Amino acid sequence: MDSDEEDFVFYGTPIEREEEITSRRKKSIAEASGHLRTLPPWKQEVTDEEGRRRFHGAFTGGFSAGYYNTAGSKEGWTPQSFTSSRKNRAEVKQQNILNFLDEDEKTELEGKSFGTSSEFDTFGFTAAELARKQAEKEQQQRPSAIPGPVPDELVLPATESIGVKLLLKMGWRRGRSIRDSHADSLYESRREARKALLAFSSDDAKTQLTDSEHGESHLESSVEQPVNDDVQSSRSTPVYVLNPKQDLHGLGYDPFKHAPEFRERKRSRLSDNRKPGYSKALSMKESLFGFKSGKVGPGFGIGALEEYDAEDEDVYGTAYDFEDTIVQEVEVEEPSGVTKDRRPRLLGKEQGVLPGFIVASKSDYQLERFDPPAVPKNFVPHHKFSGPLETNKKFADPPPPEVPPPGENNMKLLIDGVATLVARCGKLFEDLSREKNQNNPLFTFLTGGNGHDYYARKLWEERQKRNDQTMLAMDGKSSLADQKMTAESRGKLLGEKPLERSSKDLSSSVASENAIHMQYNLSDTFTKSASYSELPEIIKPFKEDPAKQDRFERFLKEKYQGGLRSTDSGKASNMSEAARAHERMDFEAVAEAIGKGKHGKESLLSTLQFMGVSPAGGMQFTSGGLEQAKDAQAENLTTKNTYPRREEFQWRPSPILCKRFDLTDPFMGKPPPAPRMRSKMDSLIFMSDSVKPTKLEESDAVNKGPYPTPQSDAQEMSKIGETEVEVKVEVENVERPVDLYKAIFSDDSDDEAETFDHKKVVEPEKKIEVAHTALNHLRAGDFLESLGKELGLEVPPELPYLMSKAKTPAPQKEITNAVAKTPVSGTPVDRAVLQHRGTTQEGESLKKTFIPGNSQSSGGKFRETEEDARAKSPSSRNRNRSSSWSSEDERSRKRSRRHRYRSSDSYSDLSGDDRDRYRSKSKGRKKGSSREKSSSSRRKHNKHKHRDSPSRSYNDAEGKKEKKKRRERD
Amino acid sequence: MNQSDLPRKEATVLRGHEGAVLAARFNGDGNYCLSCGKDRTIRLWNPHRGIHIKTYKSHGREVRDVHVTADNSKLISCGGDRQIYYWDVSTGRVIRRFRGHDSEVNAVKFNEYASVVVSAGYDRSLRVWDCRSHSTEPIQIIDSFLDSVMSVCLTKTEIIGGSVDGTVRTFDIRIGRELSDDLGQPVNCISLSNDGNCILASCLDSTLRLLDRTTGELLQEYKGHICKSYKTDCCLTNTDAHVTGGSEDGSIYFWDLVDASVVSKFQAHSSVVTSVSYHPKDNSMITSSVDGTIRVWKT
């Protein structure tokens, strides 16, 4: 064995044999009695009778340590999770102190508990307890009709308590009150004595006394009476209410209040269950003074003549009692169901409403009455129309009945003619003709004779017609007759001048100014004129200067008449903007004065006089007296008139905004709105000195491109000096950036990019230079973007066109920094500039390539501008569209073309290796472009972000550019 | 309403803000009021009993405006930290933060259903934020203003903004139209009349101007107070009978709506009155000032 054991390795603990266990037990017993006692306490081991070790340390026993030791359950202290499912209900354990006690503790507890022995069971409690327990046990053993525990009252003490025994020995009988009967007599005697005293004190009281004595005797008799057995028995102290609450109703609630028959049934059932013979006997009413009901019930044991004490009064029991008796009576008298039914119904009627409901004393529901609105005392029920009074009034005239024209044709014609005249010239004409032709038999219709009705009708018709016309003239709305009106005819009717096509000479300064004016005009074209009908008589305050007078007249016309304003650019151009503005102010003031003058002839005269006095071409009102005040007033008025000024634009709410406001989107399914006109102020600001800000802007734009890239090799670094100069030169060249877009967008140049040849290259130098700059940005941006992609960088956008192409991560500060320290930022500029050396054609093609990308990115103003640009030349638009679909091929083709142009570019001053470098870059660009499509989805996002970009000055620049563009287009 | 009914008696002074109080607003039913100020807190008060109920802290800079929903469950506030906070009133927790304004946010308002918040910023834009979705991006940016937008009002169908560029612009969502009323003077506060037909615009030339909304006509001008450099609020009384506004010298003015005469004027604060808010039903008013107090005025 031993050798075997040495050879084998054993896993686990060997199963102990039976004999071993028994031997261990023996050993343990032996130890317990023997030597273990000698060991110190911390070395002793506690074992159970089996000899197993009991108390474990915290780390040796674990949960099971408590298995046999403390918790007398299988689980011990092992934590459990409570689970209960629908199918497998967890049993709710009623916990008891005994559950947590060990056997020995239980026995100990048993021994410690006190109880009175039956001998000294004064109140019979112990006996009752025992009896109840017995009954319970019995019930559990045999099935019973009544579920649940046996009611206490059913189980009566089996033995007579010692107290009862004593009382009985003292002469007390069951059911009787323990109260001393002599107490009453004592009280009586005392009263007697008092009465006697009273009787002695006064004779008068004698009658009273007899009276009271009489009453007393009555009382006494009534008191005496109950001294029969019956009454005496009822005199015993009321047993504590033997009607424990066993139902689940609220306190005082009686479910049988209106259905007593059910109560009766229930009770009978109960009583049947309890003591069959007993309760039935008692439910019979044998005598008035007997037990009302043998069992439970309020007022049990209270004699009929005994006074109710506060304690005795059963607050909740009265109704019960009442009902009870009634039911009992009913039951006794007529045990038929019909009468039983009648009762509750009657009761119900007494209540007035449905059983169980009570009529509310005050109802919440009240009819709300609203007083009619109070009419102010000074209110006249007549509506006044504020608009053009006459026409409205006439309009409102009720039409006279239609009358057939009189027989004679002459008469009809005459009437028609007069009616037309009267309608045109007014009532005055009618009166006049009436006076004149009083005796003329032909004109009797005027005075109410033959044909008057027809005349009236005709007149009304004429007036109506006239009104229509005036309305039409005023509103410019086409009436039924003018439904087929063309734009020109309408314009003519309204006095508009047909829009002239702007001159195609794009390089001239006049054109740009013209464009500005155009916008100016357009914005003012449809302003409502101040008054429709009355043109102020033309007064000539500037007689000396015919040109000025001419302008003044035109101004007046503009002021009082609607329609497009003509601006003679030739005349206007030789005046400075400031002078023109000044003159305009002047005209305004004069017109004001004239307008005022019309109201009072006096002032008109004075104005005229004043005008005459004022020197030739007087710019200012150097006025005296009356005029002074008037001038100030006029000025005040002008400011008041100019402000507030209302303008209306189209605005497109986002669909989700409409949804959130619970409104339908007015632009649902419509293309994006047209670009909105900026206010005149903008164009004016940038008109005269547009060069400066644009120059800044351009340089900004150029410098924005060179967002510092980490790749700045030494070779490029060395170039910085020159490139910086180059950039400067480029910027200087930008003289009229306004024209730059025109050069790109205008019709003729737009037409054929494909067949573009070197002819165009020989165009005026300025234009080309301008186009260069445009190109520079375009291409720089494009190039940088592709470069950035290659390098995995984000490149700031360059121009609005490129906006969607890239995101601008560089804050403004950084840009300025970049501008300041050129060494770093210069390198990309270098590249950009290298690339810039292109031709107009290239710009053209480049631009085209951008468009598709942009149109994909969609949304906002930029797209609109494109669309506009495209709209200018349908052919190019078509091409663009195609390019947008096959942008990839097209782009690559164009790129190759660009190379071709590059080689033939006469303006290129690049050195050979520079060009080479460019080529290599462009190759890279090609590579980058294949990724373009995938990034187009990203663009959208970028653009969105861009709009929120924190650099405001950048936005400014952008805005300005936009403005310029728009102006250009106009 | 009689002139004697104008709230001129000081009922309570609400103290607690450290530094200037920039706005004080009644809630929808006028039982509570909210204030915000330079101490970066928003405070909820019971102005009638003068009790401070709660303080909302989270803003990193001064709080410029606050508004509460009609059901009093949510707050919206904005301030110098360029952020708009959407609060739960009872817990005082920030539900959402809207970021996107490029600079300080001057005013903020809920729409009628509290589904949308419109904010007016120094970055010349009105931005509309969605409270229903979890997106913190604006659902609309209105950037037609030329200068800082100082105040915003909402009707059921329109967004109205007042700007330093002198315009009051009404954006009608139903028609898709923008109406620009150029007042010629920087507008620093606009408020709607209770009938919704007029706009009262406080201009920086110390004039309040009443505009007819349908025609854009200037109905009346109210002068006498000083308003040249601060954003001082103005509003109409709840009966639309009087116009009230604060002055930079700390006094409160009441004008007759129709004849523009100064009906009442009294010194309310020791410093610039930043905000006035009239009770929606009673003759009661709260004013806030740079002196750090909010005063409750009753008849």
Side-chain angles (χ1 to χ4, degrees), chain A residues 513-783:
Chain A
E513 208 164 330
N514 226 354
I516 293 153
H517 281 300
M518 188 71 95
Q519 194 223 341
Y520 186 85
N521 290 341
L522 270 176
S523 62
D524 274 8
T525 299
F526 300 107
T527 49
K528 224 177 179 182
S529 56
S531 68
Y532 332 101
S533 51
E534 304 164 312
L535 249 177
E537 310 130 69
I538 292 169
I539 304 143
K540 305 200 170 174
F542 306 105
K543 274 172 196 156
E544 283 77 5
D545 186 350
K548 193 168 186 183
Q549 176 63 33
D550 201 37
R551 282 201 296 276
F552 178 61
E553 273 164 28
R554 202 167 49 238
F555 166 79
L556 278 184
K557 205 173 151 197
E558 277 165 17
K559 187 167 167 152
Y560 292 109
Q561 261 183 338
L564 188 66
R565 288 166 197 198
S566 59
T567 318
D568 198 334
S569 61
K571 255 182 203 169
S573 59
N574 54 27
M575 276 179 86
S576 75
E577 197 54 41
R580 208 182 310 155
H582 210 99
E583 195 182 72
R584 198 183 155 83
M585 290 257 289
D586 226 39
F587 287 164
E588 198 82 55
V590 173
E592 195 67 48
I594 290 165
K596 279 207 161 179
K598 263 200 312 197
H599 296 299
K601 276 182 183 171
E602 219 180 315
S603 57
L604 173 72
L605 273 171
S606 65
T607 317
L608 277 172
Q609 207 175 13
F610 161 67
M611 289 298 168
V613 166
S614 69
M619 294 289 210
Q620 272 88 28
F621 278 94
T622 47
S623 53
L626 187 73
E627 261 64 47
Q628 182 107 48
K630 194 179 270 178
D631 194 32
Q633 212 174 5
E635 212 161 346
N636 201 3
L637 272 171
T638 47
T639 53
K640 259 193 186 169
N641 284 349
T642 46
Y643 296 115
R645 202 167 45 204
R646 174 160 277 202
E647 283 174 282
E648 196 174 325
F649 308 104
Q650 204 178 47
W651 170 70
R652 189 172 182 143
S654 71
I656 190 156
L657 180 68
C658 301
K659 196 178 152 196
R660 291 284 180 260
F661 270 81
D662 213 3
L663 300 169
T664 49
D665 188 355
F667 291 94
M668 213 183 331
K670 283 184 197 163
R676 119 116 182 262
M677 214 78 82
R678 284 273 165 176
S679 71
K680 287 177 270 184
M681 283 301 287
D682 301 350
S683 52
L684 282 171
I685 285 166
F686 297 112
M687 191 173 54
S688 51
D689 48 1
S690 57
V691 184
K692 241 190 186 170
T694 41
K695 212 200 283 182
L696 265 169
E697 211 178 294
E698 295 291 342
S699 63
D700 222 86
V702 169
N703 286 333
K704 220 176 275 171
Y707 177 62
T709 47
Q711 272 201 351
S712 54
D713 37 332
Q715 205 186 1
E716 281 167 345
M717 290 281 270
S718 63
K719 295 245 172 204
I720 286 155
E722 325 167 31
T723 49
E724 188 63 10
V725 172
E726 263 177 24
V727 170
K728 279 278 157 67
V729 169
E730 289 287 323
V731 168
E732 294 297 303
N733 280 341
V734 185
E735 254 189 274
R736 286 239 163 251
V738 174
D739 287 339
L740 151 172
Y741 296 102
K742 205 156 237 177
I744 296 162
F745 291 125
S746 61
D747 297 6
D748 46 357
S749 64
D750 233 10
D751 277 338
E752 281 304 316
E754 309 287 329
T755 57
F756 230 89
D757 49 19
H758 306 292
K759 236 188 333 186
K760 286 278 171 182
V761 183
V762 210
E763 270 196 344
E765 199 175 308
K766 199 207 264 171
K767 187 183 171 183
I768 286 168
E769 284 290 41
V770 155
H772 274 322
T773 41
L775 250 178
N776 290 347
H777 309 313
L778 295 171
R779 287 175 61 186
D782 194 11
F783 175 70

Side-chain angles (χ1 to χ4, degrees), chain A residues 447-486:
Chain A
T447 49
N450 184 23
H452 179 75
D453 292 340
Y454 177 71
Y455 168 72
R457 172 74 197 174
K458 200 72 198 166
L459 184 64
W460 181 81
E461 274 175 15
E462 283 297 326
R463 274 185 181 155
Q464 204 81 332
K465 226 185 271 174
R466 228 184 127 62
N467 275 340
D468 281 352
Q469 271 166 11
T470 49
M471 293 285 277
L472 187 137
M474 270 153 38
D475 294 356
K477 283 175 189 158
S478 57
S479 70
L480 288 171
D482 297 306
Q483 258 179 354
K484 285 191 176 174
M485 209 183 261
T486 60

Side-chain angles (χ1 to χ4, degrees), chain A residues 678-914:
Chain A
R678 284 273 165 176
S679 71
K680 287 177 270 184
M681 283 301 287
D682 301 350
S683 52
L684 282 171
I685 285 166
F686 297 112
M687 191 173 54
S688 51
D689 48 1
S690 57
V691 184
K692 241 190 186 170
T694 41
K695 212 200 283 182
L696 265 169
E697 211 178 294
E698 295 291 342
S699 63
D700 222 86
V702 169
N703 286 333
K704 220 176 275 171
Y707 177 62
T709 47
Q711 272 201 351
S712 54
D713 37 332
Q715 205 186 1
E716 281 167 345
M717 290 281 270
S718 63
K719 295 245 172 204
I720 286 155
E722 325 167 31
T723 49
E724 188 63 10
V725 172
E726 263 177 24
V727 170
K728 279 278 157 67
V729 169
E730 289 287 323
V731 168
E732 294 297 303
N733 280 341
V734 185
E735 254 189 274
R736 286 239 163 251
V738 174
D739 287 339
L740 151 172
Y741 296 102
K742 205 156 237 177
I744 296 162
F745 291 125
S746 61
D747 297 6
D748 46 357
S749 64
D750 233 10
D751 277 338
E752 281 304 316
E754 309 287 329
T755 57
F756 230 89
D757 49 19
H758 306 292
K759 236 188 333 186
K760 286 278 171 182
V761 183
V762 210
E763 270 196 344
E765 199 175 308
K766 199 207 264 171
K767 187 183 171 183
I768 286 168
E769 284 290 41
V770 155
H772 274 322
T773 41
L775 250 178
N776 290 347
H777 309 313
L778 295 171
R779 287 175 61 186
D782 194 11
F783 175 70
L784 275 170
E785 190 218 0
S786 63
L787 189 74
K789 261 181 210 153
E790 264 179 51
L791 299 171
L793 283 171
E794 279 188 312
V795 183
E798 190 67 337
L799 281 169
Y801 298 103
L802 302 170
M803 194 77 66
S804 55
K805 291 243 164 194
K807 163 97 186 84
T808 160
Q812 195 64 25
K813 233 185 226 168
E814 222 170 314
I815 286 160
T816 50
N817 276 350
V819 173
K821 15 174 175 144
T822 30
V824 192
S825 61
T827 36
V829 175
D830 183 7
R831 280 178 206 153
V833 171
L834 294 181
Q835 210 193 354
H836 292 169
R837 303 279 136 187
T839 58
T840 339
Q841 294 96 305
E842 277 173 18
E844 198 56 45
S845 61
L846 249 179
K847 202 214 107 204
K848 292 281 139 59
T849 49
F850 288 130
I851 283 162
N854 249 350
S855 63
Q856 274 165 14
S857 68
S858 89
K861 285 162 187 166
F862 307 120
R863 186 182 175 176
E864 294 146 28
T865 57
E866 269 159 48
E867 274 177 2
D868 274 24
R870 273 193 250 161
K872 282 199 171 168
S873 70
S875 65
S876 75
R877 181 175 47 201
N878 286 340
R879 206 178 47 241
N880 283 338
R881 238 175 235 158
S882 68
S883 71
S884 75
W885 289 320
S886 60
S887 58
E888 219 65 345
D889 306 66
E890 185 120 338
R891 229 174 269 176
S892 56
R893 243 190 296 137
K894 271 170 190 158
R895 233 171 281 121
S896 61
R897 209 188 312 132
R898 197 192 299 152
H899 284 290
R900 226 177 33 242
Y901 284 142
R902 169 162 297 290
S903 54
S904 65
D905 189 359
S906 57
Y907 287 87
S908 165
D909 55 352
L910 282 175
S911 62
D913 45 350
D914 273 349

